[in-house]
Amino acid sequence: MNQLFVIDKSSPLPIYYQIEESIKRQIEEGELHPHDVLPSEREYAELLEISRMTVRQAINNLVNAGYLYRQKGRGTYVAEKKLEQQLLGLTSFTEEMKARGMMPSSKLLSLELIPANEKIANQLHVTTNTLIYEIIRIRLADNMPMALETAYMSADLLKGLTAEILNHSIYQYVEKHIGLKIGYAKQSFESTIASEVEMASLSIAKHSPILLIQRTTYLEDGRPLEFVKSSYRADRYTFTCTINRH
Amino acid sequence: MNQLFVIDKSSPLPIYYQIEESIKRQIEEGELHPHDVLPSEREYAELLEISRMTVRQAINNLVNAGYLYRQKGRGTYVAEKKLEQQLLGLTSFTEEMKARGMMPSSKLLSLELIPANEKIANQLHVTTNTLIYEIIRIRLADNMPMALETAYMSADLLKGLTAEILNHSIYQYVEKHIGLKIGYAKQSFESTIASEVEMASLSIAKHSPILLIQRTTYLEDGRPLEFVKSSYRADRYTFTCTINRH
DNA sequence: GAGTGGTCTAGACCACCCC
DNA sequence: GGGTGGTCTAGACCACTCC
């Protein structure tokens, strides 16, 4: 018989959220194992003395997040655990390196307001020659050069950007201080050979392979926030992500 | 004033689904523009003579899919359009090349049942030496070699795999004929230099850059379906994907 | 204060699965 | 037939935004 949990109806936390956290905890602590059947939605509702729709809201979220799966007419089951990449959604360089247990830092080569050329203007949905930030940095992890990065950011959205702000996570700055919500990013991956500039910046040899990642980050409302071109040292960096079907 | 649409309560299609499709159509046909306010949930409910919860179910799905965004106390808005990559979720080589307007094909080099070594067994969640399929193929688009690919698939899940089946989309085979649901994939990207085998298979020169993609595909219930290592010609292939925050 | 999305209730009927 | 998830109803109160 499944051990149940308790919820606090007087808590400011929504009930569906408390259920989500409790089920996640049960999975993580091994009280629920992969492919175990969960109590039915009606059981949860009766035992916790709440409505079935509230239970469904919690379970829907966990299904979308990949913790559970449902089978029509049969029941709701625990999915096999996702690995560490569970951690990764869309992350900035700073967040990602911290997650890998490395200390991220940057060497700022240039921070300027420049008029957007056609390609950049197109990526950021502004008109050509609109002023935007261009930020060129060498990205380091544990003080080793990892990537040469050029970022273009909308000056409209990020008024008064300073070198100081750039030293911390720009995503967290946008979310916590400006109050905008980051939604998603379109990202492309190519393999190339190091150029002269990259050889010098990253202290690598001629013909070294480079992982070229181009990313456009969008806010929740679909407005582009930044366009970034990053050249990663292939010997030190592998990019990992999780992609959902449909 | 917003033009409204009609729904058919006697249709076998769920009402929330009809609403989703109608709103998507209005966005795609330009009746609704980015950052337009939608009618409120209560308005939809009253005008369509349905319950507000049903309206919410439709809008929730569209928010999750990135078509709309909400602001507490203000309203629901149309997001700026995602580009073509909207098409791409998790796709197979076959599906992806078709989406790019190219004709995919394969040259099967080898199809065998082999005992899993430790690395593969770990990826596929089976014990070492369990028999699994090893499939080595050259992947072509419009008859040009694009990648050298080695796939390992669980023989438990894919009993009786044949060269014939491999000529079509394996994902669609799994979903339509075996009836399993594909959930997500963990994918990694590295840049390398072509090996002797890759040079020969892909007819490329020494020192050519290669985009090495490794993917483990999981079913909805979390069971691993396949582990694939693909070496793409960097001059012909750029991988693109969309990643969501959180 | 009026309107909005966020949360929640206590029911209902359906299609599907298993016995 | 009894249980499950899938869909849907007609209300309710809350916190938030805007005027």
Side-chain angles (χ1 to χ4, degrees):
Chain A
M1 176 53 200
N2 278 302
Q3 190 85 13
L4 215 57
F5 42 83
V6 290
I7 56 168
D8 175 5
K9 287 200 192 186
S10 68
S11 162
L13 295 174
I15 295 174
Y16 75 88
Y17 180 79
Q18 295 181 47
I19 299 176
E20 281 177 51
E21 292 302 310
S22 296
I23 294 179
K24 273 200 273 188
R25 186 186 50 71
Q26 289 189 331
I27 294 174
E28 275 148 19
E29 294 185 356
E31 296 172 33
L32 286 170
H33 303 91
H35 309 293
D36 277 0
V37 190
L38 263 72
S40 77
E41 298 172 354
R42 287 170 183 83
E43 277 186 77
Y44 271 129
E46 192 177 353
L47 293 169
L48 299 174
E49 298 182 292
I50 54 175
S51 153
R52 184 177 158 219
M53 287 301 278
T54 304
V55 175
R56 275 185 71 76
Q57 187 173 2
I59 292 181
N60 275 336
N61 290 342
L62 293 176
V63 168
N64 288 333
Y67 285 94
L68 306 176
Y69 63 98
R70 292 201 252 231
Q71 292 191 357
K72 241 186 303 190
R74 305 225 298 149
T76 303
Y77 300 82
V78 178
E80 291 189 20
K81 67 173 180 307
K82 293 192 180 184
L83 309 175
E84 0 63 58
Q85 83 278 12
Q86 177 74 351
L87 305 175
L88 309 170
L90 172 59
T91 54
S92 65
F93 180 86
T94 305
E95 291 167 336
E96 192 185 345
M97 289 305 140
K98 280 184 184 168
R100 295 185 185 196
M102 303 175 94
M103 211 228 347
S105 57
S106 300
K107 190 171 147 194
L108 185 61
L109 302 184
S110 157
L111 166 54
E112 292 186 81
L113 268 174
I114 62 163
N117 68 24
E118 200 169 340
K119 179 185 174 184
I120 308 297
N122 195 33
Q123 290 290 335
L124 295 181
H125 294 191
V126 297
T127 53
T128 314
N129 293 328
T130 303
L131 285 183
I132 53 168
Y133 287 109
E134 179 194 64
I135 301 139
I136 305 179
R137 287 183 287 183
I138 295 174
R139 295 294 214 156
L140 307 102
D142 289 346
N143 292 316
M144 294 194 309
M146 294 284 282
L148 176 64
E149 179 190 285
T150 307
Y152 301 93
M153 301 194 187
S154 162
D156 263 2
L157 295 175
L158 292 164
K159 294 184 205 300
L161 193 62
T162 64
E164 169 57 26
I165 294 169
L166 287 176
N167 271 328
H168 303 83
S169 171
I170 188 78
Y171 283 7
Q172 291 188 19
Y173 174 73
V174 166
E175 293 186 330
K176 289 187 185 159
H177 293 86
I178 308 192
L180 297 171
K181 292 183 194 166
I182 290 172
Y184 61 97
K186 177 187 169 187
Q187 202 147 342
S188 77
F189 304 85
E190 294 174 65
S191 177
T192 64
I193 300 293
S195 69
E196 296 289 332
V197 176
E198 289 157 356
M199 282 168 49
S201 311
L202 302 174
S203 27
I204 48 180
K206 211 171 175 175
H207 293 314
S208 295
I210 290 284
L211 181 62
L212 175 65
I213 302 183
Q214 299 188 70
R215 167 192 282 185
T216 307
T217 306
Y218 299 85
L219 299 177
E220 196 189 43
D221 63 10
R223 284 181 293 171
L225 173 70
E226 61 164 8
F227 170 66
V228 185
K229 252 179 105 155
S230 308
S231 302
Y232 283 88
R233 282 186 64 150
D235 56 344
R236 294 201 180 141
Y237 189 74
T238 298
F239 183 87
T240 305
C241 69
T242 301
I243 303 181
N244 293 312
R245 177 97 170 147
H246 305 305
Chain B
M1 177 54 198
N2 278 302
Q3 190 84 12
L4 214 54
F5 42 82
V6 290
I7 56 167
D8 175 5
K9 287 200 192 184
S10 68
S11 163
L13 295 173
I15 296 175
Y16 75 88
Y17 180 80
Q18 296 181 47
I19 298 175
E20 280 177 50
E21 292 302 310
S22 296
I23 294 178
K24 274 200 271 188
R25 187 186 48 71
Q26 289 189 329
I27 293 173
E28 274 148 21
E29 294 184 357
E31 296 172 34
L32 287 170
H33 303 90
H35 308 292
D36 277 0
V37 190
L38 263 73
S40 76
E41 297 173 354
R42 287 170 182 82
E43 277 186 78
Y44 271 128
E46 192 177 354
L47 293 170
L48 299 174
E49 298 182 292
I50 54 175
S51 152
R52 186 180 156 215
M53 287 302 277
T54 303
V55 175
R56 275 185 72 75
Q57 187 173 1
I59 292 181
N60 274 335
N61 290 342
L62 293 176
V63 168
N64 288 333
Y67 285 94
L68 306 175
Y69 63 97
R70 292 202 251 233
Q71 292 191 359
K72 242 185 305 192
R74 306 225 296 150
T76 304
Y77 301 82
V78 179
E80 290 188 21
K81 67 171 179 309
K82 294 191 180 185
L83 309 176
E84 1 61 58
Q85 81 277 13
Q86 177 75 352
L87 306 176
L88 309 170
L90 172 58
T91 55
S92 65
F93 180 88
T94 306
E95 292 167 334
E96 191 186 347
M97 290 304 139
K98 281 185 184 168
R100 293 184 187 196
M102 303 175 95
M103 212 228 345
S105 57
S106 300
K107 190 170 147 194
L108 185 61
L109 301 185
S110 158
L111 166 55
E112 291 186 81
L113 270 175
I114 62 165
N117 68 26
E118 202 170 338
K119 180 185 174 184
I120 309 296
N122 194 33
Q123 292 289 336
L124 295 181
H125 294 190
V126 297
T127 52
T128 314
N129 293 327
T130 302
L131 285 182
I132 54 167
Y133 287 110
E134 180 194 65
I135 301 137
I136 306 179
R137 286 184 285 184
I138 295 174
R139 297 293 214 155
L140 308 101
D142 289 347
N143 292 314
M144 295 194 308
M146 293 285 282
L148 176 64
E149 178 190 286
T150 306
Y152 301 93
M153 301 194 187
S154 162
D156 263 1
L157 295 175
L158 291 164
K159 293 185 205 303
L161 194 62
T162 64
E164 169 57 26
I165 293 170
L166 287 176
N167 271 328
H168 303 83
S169 171
I170 188 76
Y171 283 7
Q172 291 188 18
Y173 174 74
V174 167
E175 293 186 329
K176 289 188 185 160
H177 294 86
I178 308 191
L180 297 172
K181 291 184 194 166
I182 291 171
Y184 60 97
K186 178 188 169 185
Q187 203 147 342
S188 77
F189 302 86
E190 294 174 66
S191 177
T192 64
I193 300 294
S195 69
E196 297 288 333
V197 176
E198 289 158 356
M199 281 166 51
S201 310
L202 301 175
S203 25
I204 48 180
K206 210 171 176 176
H207 293 316
S208 295
I210 291 283
L211 181 62
L212 175 66
I213 303 184
Q214 299 188 66
R215 166 193 284 187
T216 307
T217 306
Y218 298 86
L219 300 176
E220 197 190 40
D221 64 10
R223 285 181 292 171
L225 174 70
E226 60 163 9
F227 171 66
V228 185
K229 254 178 102 156
S230 307
S231 302
Y232 283 89
R233 283 185 63 148
D235 57 343
R236 293 202 180 141
Y237 189 75
T238 299
F239 183 87
T240 306
C241 69
T242 301
I243 303 179
N244 294 311
R245 178 101 170 144
H246 306 304

Coordinates of all heavy atoms in Angstrom, one line a residue, chain A residues 92-107 137-146 166-169 172:
Chain A
S92 N 22.1 29.8 -19.2 CA 23.2 30.6 -19.7 C 24.5 29.9 -19.4 O 24.6 28.9 -18.7 CB 23.2 32.0 -18.9 OG 23.5 31.7 -17.6
F93 N 25.6 30.4 -20.0 CA 26.9 29.9 -19.8 C 27.2 29.8 -18.3 O 27.7 28.8 -17.7 CB 28.0 30.8 -20.5 CG 29.4 30.3 -20.3 CD1 29.9 29.3 -21.2 CD2 30.2 30.8 -19.3 CE1 31.2 28.9 -21.0 CE2 31.5 30.3 -19.1 CZ 32.0 29.3 -20.0
T94 N 26.9 30.9 -17.6 CA 27.2 31.0 -16.1 C 26.5 29.9 -15.4 O 27.1 29.2 -14.6 CB 26.7 32.4 -15.6 OG1 27.4 33.4 -16.4 CG2 27.1 32.6 -14.1
E95 N 25.2 29.8 -15.6 CA 24.4 28.8 -14.9 C 24.9 27.4 -15.3 O 24.9 26.5 -14.4 CB 22.9 28.9 -15.3 CG 22.2 30.2 -14.8 CD 20.9 30.4 -15.5 OE1 20.7 29.9 -16.6 OE2 20.0 31.1 -14.9
E96 N 25.2 27.2 -16.5 CA 25.6 25.8 -17.0 C 26.9 25.4 -16.3 O 27.0 24.3 -15.9 CB 25.7 25.8 -18.5 CG 25.8 24.5 -19.1 CD 26.1 24.5 -20.6 OE1 25.9 25.6 -21.2 OE2 26.5 23.5 -21.1
M97 N 27.9 26.3 -16.3 CA 29.2 25.9 -15.7 C 29.0 25.6 -14.2 O 29.6 24.7 -13.7 CB 30.2 27.0 -16.0 CG 30.6 27.0 -17.5 SD 31.2 25.4 -18.1 CE 30.5 25.4 -19.7
K98 N 28.2 26.4 -13.6 CA 28.0 26.2 -12.1 C 27.4 24.8 -11.9 O 27.7 24.1 -11.0 CB 27.0 27.3 -11.6 CG 27.8 28.6 -11.2 CD 26.8 29.5 -10.6 CE 27.4 30.9 -10.3 NZ 26.5 31.9 -10.0
A99 N 26.4 24.5 -12.8 CA 25.7 23.2 -12.7 C 26.7 22.0 -12.9 O 26.6 20.9 -12.4 CB 24.6 23.1 -13.7
R100 N 27.8 22.3 -13.7 CA 28.8 21.3 -13.9 C 29.9 21.3 -12.8 O 30.9 20.6 -12.9 CB 29.5 21.5 -15.3 CG 28.5 21.3 -16.4 CD 29.3 21.4 -17.8 NE 28.4 21.3 -18.9 CZ 28.7 21.1 -20.1 NH1 30.0 20.9 -20.4 NH2 27.8 21.1 -21.1
G101 N 29.7 22.1 -11.9 CA 30.7 22.2 -10.8 C 31.9 23.0 -11.1 O 33.0 22.8 -10.5
M102 N 31.8 23.9 -12.1 CA 33.0 24.6 -12.5 C 32.7 26.1 -12.1 O 31.6 26.5 -12.0 CB 33.3 24.5 -14.0 CG 33.5 23.0 -14.3 SD 33.7 22.8 -16.1 CE 35.5 22.8 -16.2
M103 N 33.8 26.9 -12.0 CA 33.6 28.3 -11.7 C 33.7 29.1 -13.0 O 34.7 29.1 -13.6 CB 34.7 28.7 -10.7 CG 34.2 29.8 -9.8 SD 35.3 31.2 -9.7 CE 36.9 30.8 -10.4
P104 N 32.6 29.7 -13.4 CA 32.5 30.5 -14.6 C 33.1 31.9 -14.4 O 33.0 32.5 -13.3 CB 31.1 30.5 -14.9 CG 30.4 30.5 -13.6 CD 31.3 29.7 -12.7
S105 N 33.8 32.4 -15.4 CA 34.2 33.8 -15.4 C 34.3 34.2 -16.8 O 34.1 33.5 -17.8 CB 35.5 33.9 -14.7 OG 36.5 33.1 -15.3
S106 N 34.5 35.5 -17.0 CA 34.6 36.1 -18.3 C 35.7 37.1 -18.4 O 36.0 37.8 -17.4 CB 33.3 36.8 -18.7 OG 32.2 35.9 -18.6
K107 N 36.3 37.3 -19.6 CA 37.2 38.4 -19.9 C 36.5 39.2 -20.9 O 36.3 38.8 -22.1 CB 38.5 37.8 -20.3 CG 39.6 38.9 -20.4 CD 40.9 38.2 -20.7 CE 41.8 39.1 -21.5 NZ 43.0 38.4 -22.0
R137 N 33.3 38.6 -25.5 CA 33.9 38.0 -24.3 C 34.6 36.7 -24.5 O 34.2 35.9 -25.4 CB 32.8 37.8 -23.2 CG 32.3 39.0 -22.6 CD 31.3 38.7 -21.5 NE 30.0 38.2 -22.0 CZ 29.0 37.9 -21.2 NH1 29.1 38.0 -19.9 NH2 27.9 37.5 -21.8
I138 N 35.7 36.5 -23.7 CA 36.2 35.1 -23.6 C 35.6 34.5 -22.4 O 35.6 35.1 -21.3 CB 37.7 35.1 -23.5 CG1 38.3 35.7 -24.8 CG2 38.3 33.7 -23.3 CD1 39.8 35.9 -24.8
R139 N 35.0 33.4 -22.5 CA 34.3 32.7 -21.4 C 35.3 31.6 -20.8 O 35.8 30.8 -21.6 CB 33.1 32.0 -22.0 CG 32.1 32.9 -22.5 CD 31.5 33.7 -21.4 NE 30.1 34.0 -21.7 CZ 29.2 34.3 -20.7 NH1 29.6 34.4 -19.4 NH2 28.0 34.6 -21.0
L140 N 35.4 31.7 -19.5 CA 36.3 30.7 -18.9 C 35.6 29.9 -17.9 O 34.6 30.3 -17.3 CB 37.5 31.5 -18.2 CG 38.3 32.5 -19.0 CD1 37.8 33.9 -18.7 CD2 39.7 32.4 -18.8
A141 N 36.1 28.7 -17.7 CA 35.6 27.8 -16.6 C 36.8 27.3 -15.8 O 37.8 26.8 -16.4 CB 34.8 26.6 -17.2
D142 N 36.8 27.5 -14.5 CA 38.0 27.3 -13.7 C 39.2 27.9 -14.3 O 40.3 27.3 -14.3 CB 38.2 25.8 -13.5 CG 37.1 25.1 -12.6 OD1 36.4 25.9 -12.0 OD2 37.0 23.9 -12.6
N143 N 39.0 29.1 -14.8 CA 40.1 29.9 -15.4 C 40.7 29.4 -16.7 O 41.7 29.9 -17.1 CB 41.2 30.2 -14.3 CG 40.7 31.1 -13.2 OD1 40.1 32.1 -13.5 ND2 41.0 30.7 -12.0
M144 N 40.1 28.4 -17.3 CA 40.5 27.9 -18.6 C 39.6 28.5 -19.7 O 38.4 28.4 -19.5 CB 40.5 26.4 -18.7 CG 41.5 25.7 -17.7 SD 41.7 24.0 -18.2 CE 40.0 23.5 -18.2
P145 N 40.2 29.0 -20.8 CA 39.4 29.5 -21.8 C 38.5 28.4 -22.5 O 39.0 27.4 -22.8 CB 40.4 30.1 -22.9 CG 41.7 30.1 -22.2 CD 41.6 29.1 -21.0
M146 N 37.2 28.6 -22.5 CA 36.3 27.6 -23.1 C 35.8 28.1 -24.4 O 35.5 27.3 -25.3 CB 35.1 27.4 -22.2 CG 35.5 26.8 -20.8 SD 35.8 25.0 -21.0 CE 34.1 24.4 -21.2
L166 N 27.3 42.2 -16.4 CA 27.7 41.0 -17.3 C 28.5 40.0 -16.5 O 28.6 38.8 -16.9 CB 28.6 41.6 -18.5 CG 27.8 42.3 -19.5 CD1 28.7 42.8 -20.6 CD2 26.8 41.4 -20.2
N167 N 29.1 40.4 -15.4 CA 29.8 39.4 -14.6 C 29.0 38.4 -13.9 O 29.4 37.4 -13.5 CB 30.7 40.1 -13.6 CG 32.0 40.5 -14.2 OD1 32.6 39.8 -15.0 ND2 32.6 41.6 -13.7
H168 N 27.7 38.7 -13.8 CA 26.8 37.7 -13.2 C 25.9 37.1 -14.3 O 26.1 37.4 -15.5 CB 25.9 38.4 -12.1 CG 26.8 39.0 -11.1 ND1 27.3 40.2 -11.2 CD2 27.2 38.5 -9.9 CE1 28.1 40.5 -10.1 NE2 28.0 39.4 -9.3
S169 N 25.0 36.3 -14.0 CA 24.1 35.6 -15.0 C 23.1 36.6 -15.6 O 22.3 37.2 -14.9 CB 23.4 34.5 -14.4 OG 22.4 34.0 -15.3
Q172 N 19.4 35.6 -15.2 CA 18.9 35.9 -13.9 C 18.7 37.4 -13.7 O 17.7 37.8 -13.0 CB 19.8 35.3 -12.8 CG 19.7 33.8 -12.8 CD 20.4 33.1 -11.6 OE1 20.6 33.7 -10.6 NE2 20.7 31.8 -11.8

